[in-house]
Amino acid sequence: MTDDVASPLDRSLAAGRPTASYKGGKLQDYHMQQNKELRAVDPVPVDYHPGAIRGESSGAVAADQTLTGLYEAWATIQKAADSGAPIHEVGALGERALSKALAASDKTIGTLTVREQALEIKIREIVQPKISDSFAGEIRTYVRQEVTDRSGKLNMSRLSKITSAAKEDKRIASAILEAPAILSGLTGEALGVFRGQIVDHYAYDTQAELLETQRARQHLEKARNRAIETLGPKIASWKERTLDAHKKLRELA
């Protein structure tokens, strides 16, 4: 191959070493790509945006406000990474922003968990007023006889009548709900359906708040965990790069 048609790489290899321009260019491209990958931060997820957690309950509102904090922290970290600022500054800023947002998330999640427990207790108090054990036993015996046929099989039509009666008298609901399903002649699935109908009848608003609070907490937990899994390793890599740089400076000193 002649010099007229040989590529720069061919001529460099023929000379025994790469040319400065080729070697320098490839090295520069490599470092640029490495720096780009080091600073790359995924966009803020759509389900982080303010208003993503809907609802008017105190739990939903608190969760959405906390989610906004996670959104702002993620956006701040992404902006800093794209700014070209020294990587040690980006890492320090990212660690502070993420730690603050996660601390707020943990606090809100804890508050929502306590609220859920309080609502569950309130619902139980509403649909299960206290009655004597003997009276509750008598009610269950009556219910078992009413809802099962001669073979002992559950009759859903008869259960429907018992459900209607329980919507008129909480004592019936309480006796059935406080004991294992079999003592009232029900299956576990039937007892679950019965409980849902009774709760909807007597404690609809409280149940609605409970479900809304649960959804809000679960959304916030998912967002928190995603921030840890996505931003945590990125910030750790920035800190590691900073420590490596400091180590090299000490070696050169």
Side-chain angles (χ1 to χ4, degrees), residues 48-125:
Y48 270 57
H49 288 241
I53 297 178
R54 299 181 180 180
E56 298 179 356
S57 66
S58 59
V61 171
D64 192 62
Q65 291 174 343
T66 305
L67 183 68
T68 298
L70 276 172
Y71 168 86
E72 292 174 348
W74 194 309
T76 296
I77 293 170
Q78 184 180 30
K79 182 178 180 180
D82 292 341
S83 69
I87 204 66
H88 70 275
E89 294 181 6
V90 177
L93 181 148
E95 186 172 27
R96 289 194 303 271
L98 183 59
S99 295
K100 181 179 179 181
L102 291 178
S105 298
D106 290 342
K107 182 178 180 180
T108 299
I109 289 170
T111 300
L112 296 183
T113 300
V114 171
R115 180 57 180 165
E116 288 174 42
Q117 294 169 345
L119 290 170
E120 289 170 348
I121 292 173
K122 183 177 180 180
I123 291 172
R124 188 161 56 249
E125 291 174 344

Side-chain angles (χ1 to χ4, degrees), residues 27-181:
L27 188 60
Q28 183 179 20
D29 290 344
Y30 171 77
H31 285 307
M32 288 178 64
Q33 182 62 30
Q34 287 288 96
N35 186 59
K36 183 178 180 181
E37 293 176 358
L38 179 66
R39 290 176 175 273
V41 176
D42 292 343
V44 183
V46 175
D47 57 358
Y48 270 57
H49 288 241
I53 297 178
R54 299 181 180 180
E56 298 179 356
S57 66
S58 59
V61 171
D64 192 62
Q65 291 174 343
T66 305
L67 183 68
T68 298
L70 276 172
Y71 168 86
E72 292 174 348
W74 194 309
T76 296
I77 293 170
Q78 184 180 30
K79 182 178 180 180
D82 292 341
S83 69
I87 204 66
H88 70 275
E89 294 181 6
V90 177
L93 181 148
E95 186 172 27
R96 289 194 303 271
L98 183 59
S99 295
K100 181 179 179 181
L102 291 178
S105 298
D106 290 342
K107 182 178 180 180
T108 299
I109 289 170
T111 300
L112 296 183
T113 300
V114 171
R115 180 57 180 165
E116 288 174 42
Q117 294 169 345
L119 290 170
E120 289 170 348
I121 292 173
K122 183 177 180 180
I123 291 172
R124 188 161 56 249
E125 291 174 344
I126 292 173
V127 303
Q128 293 179 234
K130 291 186 178 299
I131 57 177
S132 68
D133 291 341
S134 59
F135 187 37
E138 291 176 7
I139 293 175
R140 287 192 291 270
T141 298
Y142 170 77
V143 170
R144 185 169 61 252
Q145 293 172 345
E146 287 295 311
V147 301
T148 54
D149 55 27
R150 292 181 178 180
S151 65
K153 185 177 180 181
L154 175 63
N155 185 304
M156 298 305 295
S157 177
R158 293 179 182 180
L159 176 58
S160 179
K161 293 180 180 180
I162 292 296
T163 302
S164 296
K167 290 179 180 179
E168 298 294 329
D169 190 338
K170 286 184 182 181
R171 295 175 300 176
I172 298 175
S174 182
I176 295 173
L177 293 173
E178 72 177 14

